[in-house]
Structures are given as structure tokens and as C-alpha cells.
Amino acid sequence: MNRSLRCLAAILIAASPASAGTDFTTKALGTAGSEFLNLDVDPRGIAMGGALTADANDSAALYWNPAGLAQIPRAAASAMHNEYFDGIRMQYASYAQRITETSVLGGAVRYMDAGSIVNTDLSGNTIGTFHPRNYVYEVGWAQNIMDLTDAERDISLGMTAKFFQSDMIAKASSFAMDFGMQAHYTDAVIPYNFGAAVQNIGQGQKFDKKRDTLPFRARLGASIRPRPFLLLVLDGVMPVSSHPYASLGGEMELDTRAKARIFLRGGYSMQNQFTGLDGLRGVSFGLGVKAGNISFDYAFVPFGILGNTHRIGFSWALPPKSSRRFRMR
């Protein structure tokens, strides 16, 4: 990829100036800053098209929907390496711990490195280089408000507080909040879940004298398990700086009759259909292997002419103890 495309990718990912035209349509593309806040972090969810609002259930729920933290039995952790195009990389790590019978506390950190980029003046003369970096630090909490064993549904609420900073030619930082809910109907003939979340509520970063608009978005999701080995997910997303779009995906567990469990995943997202990029985009594929308490996951997502992206990660979770809340799971 040439330097102009690389600079374009870095600018779109890092920050864009705010505009009064922000109106939830394609005309608003590029009008929100801090878009790195919306870069997906979990290979499992990414492989399923990013449609995990209703089914996030590990420490990465801090990103997808903080209410999903309440599904963690005891403790969970996850980490991911994201290999973007042309040397752009992102790292992610999270941990969550059950602190009471009905509440879970978690934290996460994200780091994105866009590599070294040549800095030029208005005449095109090279005046040095700059190294864009973005950092996100998150703390989240989830609370069950209706227990599965006392009713035919399990409802939880959650919130995430995040501090983020961009280090480009200039530095800027700010705060934001996410809020979410999930409802699980696991006693139904065909188990299903619902979820909703609002993300990036707060004040944008201020570069020089102008403050950016945060990339707010609202998510509504559903999942269904028609067979014990098959999960189907669907999300509707409304971002402030683009047109609303839908994402869908699925996960199938293979019958290997071995100790390790193998999962095949696939998905499709309409998010990148509004960018004008040529080439294959929108689809995603992935693979997961779970052995004991540890899972290894991989996701592949093409981005048209920008190139292909690869995410690899692992997650770990302690199994539930014998308790009233988890005795039926």
C-alpha cells in the first residue's frame, strides 16, 4: 500500500474533525473523531460479523455490551492481537471477576499503533515523521437484576467507563461511557437472547482549539440457539457518523468426539458497504478451539483494496462453582 493510502487509513482510524452534518447517514462519514473506539476487539465476535450485543458473555463484553459480564461464573480473561493492513496493529487485554453472587467487575486496555508516517508541509516538503498511537483504558460493572433460577429469564444491566488518549502530532484525551442490557431466555424450547447497548457517550477529544464529536452508536441484538451445537446472531447498529447497518453471523460446534472443542464461525456486516472501497468486504470467517478452560480464536476479515486483516486471541474462564445462580447451566 502506498503512503497516501496508509495516511488515509490512519486518519480515518484515529480522528476526524466534527461537523454539524452529523446525522446518522452516509453524509456524516468522517464527521466523528476517535473512531478507534469502535474497532472490534474480540476474534470470536469479529468472525461472526460483529453481531455480539446479545451473546457477549466473557471479559470482552466490556467492549460489546457490558451487561454480558454478568454471565461470567467466577473469573475470565482475554487477549487479542489485531494485524491490520500495512503494519497497523492493535493489542487488547481484559479481565473480569465475579465479586458477589449477582455482580461482576472488569477492566480492559487497548493499544493501537499506526506505525511511522511522513509529515509534510502544505508544499509537500518532508518536515519529519510522526507516530500515531491510541490508548483506551476501561473499567466495567454488570449486575443481574432477575435471576434465571427464580424466573424464566435472566436480565442483567452493565456499564463501562473509559479513558482514552490519542498521541499524533498533538496529544488529546477524554472520557466516555457505555451502557447495556441483556435478557436470556434459556428455558425456552429454543433458547434465545436479546441485548441492547449505547456506546461512547461523553465529550470528544480536543485537538488545538476544536473538540471532536465522539463516535456514538446504539446497538440492538438478538441470538438464538436452534440446536445445541448451533448459534445464530443478529445486530442492528446506528452509528452517529454513518448510515445504520445490520450484521449477522453464526457459530457451529463440530462433533469431533475429542477433548478439544472446535468451532467454525462466519458472518456478514453491511458496515463497510458505505465506504466506497472496491474488492471483497463485509464478510468474515473464523475458527475457535477450546481445551479445558482455555480457548484460542482466529478471525479473518477482508477490507477491499485496503487489504486483509487477521485477529488472533485467547480467552480463559474459571468454571462455575456449585451455586444457586449457576446450578441450572
Side-chain angles (χ1 to χ4, degrees), residues 192-217:
Y192 60 96
N193 304 335
F194 291 111
V198 289
Q199 299 174 311
N200 305 321
I201 300 174
Q203 191 174 47
Q205 294 177 317
K206 187 176 182 180
F207 290 92
D208 194 15
K209 298 180 180 180
K210 193 167 186 178
R211 189 173 296 279
D212 289 341
T213 299
L214 281 183
F216 168 87
R217 62 181 179 180

PDB file of all heavy atoms in Angstrom, residues 192-217:
ATOM      1  N   TYR A 192     -33.111 -18.270  23.458  1.00  0.00           N
ATOM      2  CA  TYR A 192     -32.821 -17.045  22.724  1.00  0.00           C
ATOM      3  C   TYR A 192     -32.454 -15.938  23.701  1.00  0.00           C
ATOM      4  O   TYR A 192     -32.810 -15.977  24.888  1.00  0.00           O
ATOM      5  CB  TYR A 192     -34.005 -16.632  21.852  1.00  0.00           C
ATOM      6  CG  TYR A 192     -35.285 -16.357  22.611  1.00  0.00           C
ATOM      7  CD1 TYR A 192     -35.637 -15.059  22.984  1.00  0.00           C
ATOM      8  CD2 TYR A 192     -36.148 -17.394  22.958  1.00  0.00           C
ATOM      9  CE1 TYR A 192     -36.811 -14.802  23.674  1.00  0.00           C
ATOM     10  CE2 TYR A 192     -37.327 -17.149  23.648  1.00  0.00           C
ATOM     11  CZ  TYR A 192     -37.654 -15.854  24.002  1.00  0.00           C
ATOM     12  OH  TYR A 192     -38.809 -15.599  24.695  1.00  0.00           O
ATOM     13  N   ASN A 193     -31.745 -14.928  23.189  1.00  0.00           N
ATOM     14  CA  ASN A 193     -31.307 -13.781  23.978  1.00  0.00           C
ATOM     15  C   ASN A 193     -31.633 -12.491  23.243  1.00  0.00           C
ATOM     16  O   ASN A 193     -31.714 -12.464  22.008  1.00  0.00           O
ATOM     17  CB  ASN A 193     -29.790 -13.807  24.218  1.00  0.00           C
ATOM     18  CG  ASN A 193     -29.315 -15.080  24.882  1.00  0.00           C
ATOM     19  OD1 ASN A 193     -30.065 -15.754  25.583  1.00  0.00           O
ATOM     20  ND2 ASN A 193     -28.053 -15.413  24.658  1.00  0.00           N
ATOM     21  N   PHE A 194     -31.781 -11.423  24.020  1.00  0.00           N
ATOM     22  CA  PHE A 194     -31.873 -10.076  23.473  1.00  0.00           C
ATOM     23  C   PHE A 194     -30.818  -9.209  24.156  1.00  0.00           C
ATOM     24  O   PHE A 194     -30.456  -9.449  25.314  1.00  0.00           O
ATOM     25  CB  PHE A 194     -33.259  -9.465  23.701  1.00  0.00           C
ATOM     26  CG  PHE A 194     -34.353 -10.104  22.898  1.00  0.00           C
ATOM     27  CD1 PHE A 194     -35.329 -10.862  23.511  1.00  0.00           C
ATOM     28  CD2 PHE A 194     -34.399  -9.942  21.520  1.00  0.00           C
ATOM     29  CE1 PHE A 194     -36.340 -11.458  22.780  1.00  0.00           C
ATOM     30  CE2 PHE A 194     -35.404 -10.533  20.775  1.00  0.00           C
ATOM     31  CZ  PHE A 194     -36.378 -11.290  21.404  1.00  0.00           C
ATOM     32  N   GLY A 195     -30.348  -8.189  23.456  1.00  0.00           N
ATOM     33  CA  GLY A 195     -29.391  -7.269  24.044  1.00  0.00           C
ATOM     34  C   GLY A 195     -29.505  -5.893  23.429  1.00  0.00           C
ATOM     35  O   GLY A 195     -29.949  -5.736  22.284  1.00  0.00           O
ATOM     36  N   ALA A 196     -29.111  -4.878  24.191  1.00  0.00           N
ATOM     37  CA  ALA A 196     -29.097  -3.501  23.700  1.00  0.00           C
ATOM     38  C   ALA A 196     -27.957  -2.765  24.379  1.00  0.00           C
ATOM     39  O   ALA A 196     -27.630  -3.044  25.544  1.00  0.00           O
ATOM     40  CB  ALA A 196     -30.432  -2.806  23.977  1.00  0.00           C
ATOM     41  N   ALA A 197     -27.340  -1.842  23.660  1.00  0.00           N
ATOM     42  CA  ALA A 197     -26.236  -1.073  24.229  1.00  0.00           C
ATOM     43  C   ALA A 197     -26.142   0.279  23.540  1.00  0.00           C
ATOM     44  O   ALA A 197     -26.476   0.415  22.355  1.00  0.00           O
ATOM     45  CB  ALA A 197     -24.912  -1.823  24.077  1.00  0.00           C
ATOM     46  N   VAL A 198     -25.710   1.277  24.294  1.00  0.00           N
ATOM     47  CA  VAL A 198     -25.340   2.581  23.738  1.00  0.00           C
ATOM     48  C   VAL A 198     -23.884   2.812  24.112  1.00  0.00           C
ATOM     49  O   VAL A 198     -23.471   2.553  25.247  1.00  0.00           O
ATOM     50  CB  VAL A 198     -26.244   3.714  24.256  1.00  0.00           C
ATOM     51  CG1 VAL A 198     -27.627   3.604  23.657  1.00  0.00           C
ATOM     52  CG2 VAL A 198     -26.325   3.716  25.777  1.00  0.00           C
ATOM     53  N   GLN A 199     -23.096   3.282  23.154  1.00  0.00           N
ATOM     54  CA  GLN A 199     -21.652   3.351  23.336  1.00  0.00           C
ATOM     55  C   GLN A 199     -21.116   4.747  23.044  1.00  0.00           C
ATOM     56  O   GLN A 199     -21.649   5.470  22.202  1.00  0.00           O
ATOM     57  CB  GLN A 199     -20.965   2.332  22.415  1.00  0.00           C
ATOM     58  CG  GLN A 199     -21.371   0.894  22.694  1.00  0.00           C
ATOM     59  CD  GLN A 199     -20.805  -0.078  21.678  1.00  0.00           C
ATOM     60  OE1 GLN A 199     -20.913   0.134  20.480  1.00  0.00           O
ATOM     61  NE2 GLN A 199     -20.208  -1.160  22.153  1.00  0.00           N
ATOM     62  N   ASN A 200     -20.055   5.088  23.759  1.00  0.00           N
ATOM     63  CA  ASN A 200     -19.312   6.335  23.543  1.00  0.00           C
ATOM     64  C   ASN A 200     -20.160   7.573  23.818  1.00  0.00           C
ATOM     65  O   ASN A 200     -20.296   8.468  22.979  1.00  0.00           O
ATOM     66  CB  ASN A 200     -18.743   6.384  22.119  1.00  0.00           C
ATOM     67  CG  ASN A 200     -17.897   5.166  21.799  1.00  0.00           C
ATOM     68  OD1 ASN A 200     -17.158   4.681  22.644  1.00  0.00           O
ATOM     69  ND2 ASN A 200     -18.026   4.659  20.585  1.00  0.00           N
ATOM     70  N   ILE A 201     -20.726   7.605  25.014  1.00  0.00           N
ATOM     71  CA  ILE A 201     -21.450   8.786  25.479  1.00  0.00           C
ATOM     72  C   ILE A 201     -20.481   9.627  26.303  1.00  0.00           C
ATOM     73  O   ILE A 201     -19.960   9.159  27.322  1.00  0.00           O
ATOM     74  CB  ILE A 201     -22.664   8.387  26.335  1.00  0.00           C
ATOM     75  CG1 ILE A 201     -23.634   7.531  25.519  1.00  0.00           C
ATOM     76  CG2 ILE A 201     -23.372   9.620  26.876  1.00  0.00           C
ATOM     77  CD1 ILE A 201     -24.778   6.975  26.339  1.00  0.00           C
ATOM     78  N   GLY A 202     -20.215  10.830  25.878  1.00  0.00           N
ATOM     79  CA  GLY A 202     -19.280  11.667  26.615  1.00  0.00           C
ATOM     80  C   GLY A 202     -18.812  12.839  25.790  1.00  0.00           C
ATOM     81  O   GLY A 202     -19.493  13.285  24.858  1.00  0.00           O
ATOM     82  N   GLN A 203     -17.631  13.328  26.118  1.00  0.00           N
ATOM     83  CA  GLN A 203     -17.062  14.502  25.465  1.00  0.00           C
ATOM     84  C   GLN A 203     -15.896  14.082  24.587  1.00  0.00           C
ATOM     85  O   GLN A 203     -15.043  13.292  24.997  1.00  0.00           O
ATOM     86  CB  GLN A 203     -16.596  15.504  26.522  1.00  0.00           C
ATOM     87  CG  GLN A 203     -16.241  16.866  25.977  1.00  0.00           C
ATOM     88  CD  GLN A 203     -15.930  17.848  27.095  1.00  0.00           C
ATOM     89  OE1 GLN A 203     -15.187  17.535  28.010  1.00  0.00           O
ATOM     90  NE2 GLN A 203     -16.503  19.031  27.023  1.00  0.00           N
ATOM     91  N   GLY A 204     -15.852  14.604  23.368  1.00  0.00           N
ATOM     92  CA  GLY A 204     -14.799  14.250  22.437  1.00  0.00           C
ATOM     93  C   GLY A 204     -13.459  14.860  22.789  1.00  0.00           C
ATOM     94  O   GLY A 204     -13.341  15.726  23.659  1.00  0.00           O
ATOM     95  N   GLN A 205     -12.429  14.395  22.097  1.00  0.00           N
ATOM     96  CA  GLN A 205     -11.090  14.926  22.302  1.00  0.00           C
ATOM     97  C   GLN A 205     -10.962  16.321  21.699  1.00  0.00           C
ATOM     98  O   GLN A 205     -11.623  16.643  20.712  1.00  0.00           O
ATOM     99  CB  GLN A 205     -10.058  13.997  21.668  1.00  0.00           C
ATOM    100  CG  GLN A 205      -9.966  12.635  22.326  1.00  0.00           C
ATOM    101  CD  GLN A 205      -8.995  11.732  21.607  1.00  0.00           C
ATOM    102  OE1 GLN A 205      -8.965  11.681  20.385  1.00  0.00           O
ATOM    103  NE2 GLN A 205      -8.184  11.013  22.362  1.00  0.00           N
ATOM    104  N   LYS A 206     -10.082  17.114  22.283  1.00  0.00           N
ATOM    105  CA  LYS A 206      -9.869  18.477  21.802  1.00  0.00           C
ATOM    106  C   LYS A 206      -8.448  18.618  21.287  1.00  0.00           C
ATOM    107  O   LYS A 206      -7.484  18.604  22.045  1.00  0.00           O
ATOM    108  CB  LYS A 206     -10.121  19.485  22.923  1.00  0.00           C
ATOM    109  CG  LYS A 206     -10.079  20.934  22.458  1.00  0.00           C
ATOM    110  CD  LYS A 206     -10.437  21.880  23.588  1.00  0.00           C
ATOM    111  CE  LYS A 206     -10.454  23.326  23.111  1.00  0.00           C
ATOM    112  NZ  LYS A 206     -10.813  24.256  24.215  1.00  0.00           N
ATOM    113  N   PHE A 207      -8.318  18.714  19.960  1.00  0.00           N
ATOM    114  CA  PHE A 207      -7.038  18.978  19.322  1.00  0.00           C
ATOM    115  C   PHE A 207      -6.974  20.468  18.992  1.00  0.00           C
ATOM    116  O   PHE A 207      -7.860  20.999  18.327  1.00  0.00           O
ATOM    117  CB  PHE A 207      -6.889  18.155  18.042  1.00  0.00           C
ATOM    118  CG  PHE A 207      -6.710  16.683  18.285  1.00  0.00           C
ATOM    119  CD1 PHE A 207      -7.804  15.842  18.305  1.00  0.00           C
ATOM    120  CD2 PHE A 207      -5.453  16.150  18.504  1.00  0.00           C
ATOM    121  CE1 PHE A 207      -7.648  14.482  18.523  1.00  0.00           C
ATOM    122  CE2 PHE A 207      -5.281  14.792  18.727  1.00  0.00           C
ATOM    123  CZ  PHE A 207      -6.379  13.958  18.741  1.00  0.00           C
ATOM    124  N   ASP A 208      -5.929  21.125  19.461  1.00  0.00           N
ATOM    125  CA  ASP A 208      -5.783  22.564  19.279  1.00  0.00           C
ATOM    126  C   ASP A 208      -6.986  23.268  19.911  1.00  0.00           C
ATOM    127  O   ASP A 208      -7.192  23.174  21.107  1.00  0.00           O
ATOM    128  CB  ASP A 208      -5.637  22.894  17.790  1.00  0.00           C
ATOM    129  CG  ASP A 208      -5.144  24.320  17.563  1.00  0.00           C
ATOM    130  OD1 ASP A 208      -4.645  24.933  18.531  1.00  0.00           O
ATOM    131  OD2 ASP A 208      -5.258  24.814  16.435  1.00  0.00           O
ATOM    132  N   LYS A 209      -7.844  23.918  19.114  1.00  0.00           N
ATOM    133  CA  LYS A 209      -8.964  24.661  19.685  1.00  0.00           C
ATOM    134  C   LYS A 209     -10.317  24.047  19.355  1.00  0.00           C
ATOM    135  O   LYS A 209     -11.353  24.595  19.726  1.00  0.00           O
ATOM    136  CB  LYS A 209      -8.933  26.110  19.172  1.00  0.00           C
ATOM    137  CG  LYS A 209      -7.684  26.879  19.572  1.00  0.00           C
ATOM    138  CD  LYS A 209      -7.723  28.296  19.032  1.00  0.00           C
ATOM    139  CE  LYS A 209      -6.467  29.057  19.431  1.00  0.00           C
ATOM    140  NZ  LYS A 209      -6.482  30.459  18.909  1.00  0.00           N
ATOM    141  N   LYS A 210     -10.314  22.909  18.670  1.00  0.00           N
ATOM    142  CA  LYS A 210     -11.573  22.326  18.231  1.00  0.00           C
ATOM    143  C   LYS A 210     -11.781  20.958  18.862  1.00  0.00           C
ATOM    144  O   LYS A 210     -10.884  20.123  18.861  1.00  0.00           O
ATOM    145  CB  LYS A 210     -11.599  22.200  16.704  1.00  0.00           C
ATOM    146  CG  LYS A 210     -12.974  21.903  16.143  1.00  0.00           C
ATOM    147  CD  LYS A 210     -13.005  22.108  14.644  1.00  0.00           C
ATOM    148  CE  LYS A 210     -14.415  21.967  14.095  1.00  0.00           C
ATOM    149  NZ  LYS A 210     -14.483  22.216  12.645  1.00  0.00           N
ATOM    150  N   ARG A 211     -12.982  20.722  19.404  1.00  0.00           N
ATOM    151  CA  ARG A 211     -13.289  19.454  20.056  1.00  0.00           C
ATOM    152  C   ARG A 211     -14.048  18.541  19.095  1.00  0.00           C
ATOM    153  O   ARG A 211     -14.999  18.959  18.436  1.00  0.00           O
ATOM    154  CB  ARG A 211     -14.117  19.685  21.318  1.00  0.00           C
ATOM    155  CG  ARG A 211     -14.284  18.433  22.168  1.00  0.00           C
ATOM    156  CD  ARG A 211     -14.964  18.735  23.485  1.00  0.00           C
ATOM    157  NE  ARG A 211     -14.175  19.614  24.333  1.00  0.00           N
ATOM    158  CZ  ARG A 211     -13.174  19.217  25.099  1.00  0.00           C
ATOM    159  NH1 ARG A 211     -12.825  17.940  25.113  1.00  0.00           N
ATOM    160  NH2 ARG A 211     -12.519  20.085  25.846  1.00  0.00           N
ATOM    161  N   ASP A 212     -13.611  17.285  19.026  1.00  0.00           N
ATOM    162  CA  ASP A 212     -14.255  16.310  18.154  1.00  0.00           C
ATOM    163  C   ASP A 212     -15.601  15.856  18.711  1.00  0.00           C
ATOM    164  O   ASP A 212     -15.880  15.985  19.902  1.00  0.00           O
ATOM    165  CB  ASP A 212     -13.372  15.068  17.995  1.00  0.00           C
ATOM    166  CG  ASP A 212     -12.139  15.338  17.160  1.00  0.00           C
ATOM    167  OD1 ASP A 212     -12.139  16.328  16.426  1.00  0.00           O
ATOM    168  OD2 ASP A 212     -11.180  14.554  17.265  1.00  0.00           O
ATOM    169  N   THR A 213     -16.404  15.283  17.830  1.00  0.00           N
ATOM    170  CA  THR A 213     -17.619  14.581  18.227  1.00  0.00           C
ATOM    171  C   THR A 213     -17.278  13.117  18.460  1.00  0.00           C
ATOM    172  O   THR A 213     -16.595  12.502  17.646  1.00  0.00           O
ATOM    173  CB  THR A 213     -18.689  14.683  17.125  1.00  0.00           C
ATOM    174  OG1 THR A 213     -19.009  16.047  16.906  1.00  0.00           O
ATOM    175  CG2 THR A 213     -19.943  13.917  17.522  1.00  0.00           C
ATOM    176  N   LEU A 214     -17.733  12.551  19.560  1.00  0.00           N
ATOM    177  CA  LEU A 214     -17.473  11.136  19.816  1.00  0.00           C
ATOM    178  C   LEU A 214     -18.262  10.261  18.835  1.00  0.00           C
ATOM    179  O   LEU A 214     -19.363  10.626  18.410  1.00  0.00           O
ATOM    180  CB  LEU A 214     -17.867  10.772  21.244  1.00  0.00           C
ATOM    181  CG  LEU A 214     -16.887  11.141  22.351  1.00  0.00           C
ATOM    182  CD1 LEU A 214     -17.402  10.653  23.696  1.00  0.00           C
ATOM    183  CD2 LEU A 214     -15.508  10.561  22.084  1.00  0.00           C
ATOM    184  N   PRO A 215     -17.722   9.074  18.490  1.00  0.00           N
ATOM    185  CA  PRO A 215     -18.417   8.171  17.556  1.00  0.00           C
ATOM    186  C   PRO A 215     -19.510   7.369  18.261  1.00  0.00           C
ATOM    187  O   PRO A 215     -19.455   6.135  18.348  1.00  0.00           O
ATOM    188  CB  PRO A 215     -17.286   7.278  17.046  1.00  0.00           C
ATOM    189  CG  PRO A 215     -16.349   7.189  18.216  1.00  0.00           C
ATOM    190  CD  PRO A 215     -16.387   8.567  18.855  1.00  0.00           C
ATOM    191  N   PHE A 216     -20.514   8.075  18.754  1.00  0.00           N
ATOM    192  CA  PHE A 216     -21.633   7.423  19.443  1.00  0.00           C
ATOM    193  C   PHE A 216     -22.308   6.407  18.521  1.00  0.00           C
ATOM    194  O   PHE A 216     -22.430   6.614  17.313  1.00  0.00           O
ATOM    195  CB  PHE A 216     -22.660   8.474  19.870  1.00  0.00           C
ATOM    196  CG  PHE A 216     -23.977   7.889  20.322  1.00  0.00           C
ATOM    197  CD1 PHE A 216     -24.157   7.498  21.639  1.00  0.00           C
ATOM    198  CD2 PHE A 216     -25.019   7.722  19.423  1.00  0.00           C
ATOM    199  CE1 PHE A 216     -25.370   6.951  22.051  1.00  0.00           C
ATOM    200  CE2 PHE A 216     -26.231   7.180  19.827  1.00  0.00           C
ATOM    201  CZ  PHE A 216     -26.401   6.793  21.148  1.00  0.00           C
ATOM    202  N   ARG A 217     -22.766   5.308  19.104  1.00  0.00           N
ATOM    203  CA  ARG A 217     -23.599   4.377  18.354  1.00  0.00           C
ATOM    204  C   ARG A 217     -24.504   3.605  19.307  1.00  0.00           C
ATOM    205  O   ARG A 217     -24.168   3.393  20.474  1.00  0.00           O
ATOM    206  CB  ARG A 217     -22.766   3.411  17.508  1.00  0.00           C
ATOM    207  CG  ARG A 217     -21.839   2.497  18.269  1.00  0.00           C
ATOM    208  CD  ARG A 217     -21.048   1.616  17.301  1.00  0.00           C
ATOM    209  NE  ARG A 217     -20.128   0.744  18.005  1.00  0.00           N
ATOM    210  CZ  ARG A 217     -19.316  -0.119  17.406  1.00  0.00           C
ATOM    211  NH1 ARG A 217     -19.316  -0.211  16.086  1.00  0.00           N
ATOM    212  NH2 ARG A 217     -18.504  -0.889  18.109  1.00  0.00           N
TER     213      ARG A 217
END
